[in-house]
């Protein structure tokens, strides 16, 4: 896998994480989201979670953009974001959705830890 392909793959994973955070943020406003509403938040709005997932959406979206563009900062920022996402997922573990977020963050972090290779 060359550097561009690796960076684009990482960008797609970060984009998926951004979309997941967006869905979780919406679900925590009290809006019914198919599937998530069955396994996730029950009842009314949870404002701190809405804010947290909103910030997560923005962070992962900016990271996805930086990785797609091949920005020099994206790799190191991505590793920090992955570490925070893993720690947050473990600290606030809520079952399968948390596990999915942790798996995404581990996969993205592992991809970002690979040494960059020259483009073919």
């Amino acid at each position: 896998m060359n550097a561009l392909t690796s960076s684009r793959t990482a960008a797609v994973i970060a984009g998926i994480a951004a979309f997941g955070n967006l869905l979780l943020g919406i679900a925590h406003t009290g809006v019914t989201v198919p599937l998530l509403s069955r396994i996730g938040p029950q009842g009314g709005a949870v404002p701190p979670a809405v804010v947290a997932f909103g910030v997560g959406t923005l962070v992962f979206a900016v990271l996805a953009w930086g990785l797609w563009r091949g920005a020099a900062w994206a790799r190191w920022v991505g590793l920090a974001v992955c570490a925070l996402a893993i720690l947050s997922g473990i600290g606030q573990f809520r079952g399968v959705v948390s596990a999915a977020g942790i798996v995404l963050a581990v996969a993205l972090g592992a991809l970002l830890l690979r040494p960059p290779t020259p483009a073919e």
Side-chain angles (χ1 to χ4, degrees), residues 26-80:
I26 292 169
H28 281 83
T29 64
V31 173
T32 301
V33 177
L35 182 62
L36 279 182
S37 296
R38 280 195 237 158
I39 60 176
Q42 309 292 319
V46 184
V50 173
V51 171
F53 287 119
V55 169
T57 299
L58 291 174
V59 168
F60 275 109
V62 169
L63 177 60
W65 174 80
L67 289 166
W68 190 266
R69 303 278 298 161
W73 55 265
R75 182 172 182 217
W76 302 110
V77 169
L79 287 170

Side-chain angles (χ1 to χ4, degrees), residues 7-23 56-68 104 108:
S7 180
R8 295 277 166 98
T9 303
V12 169
I13 294 171
I16 292 168
F19 185 68
N21 273 276
L22 177 65
L23 288 178
T57 299
L58 291 174
V59 168
F60 275 109
V62 169
L63 177 60
W65 174 80
L67 289 166
W68 190 266
L104 273 176
L108 179 56

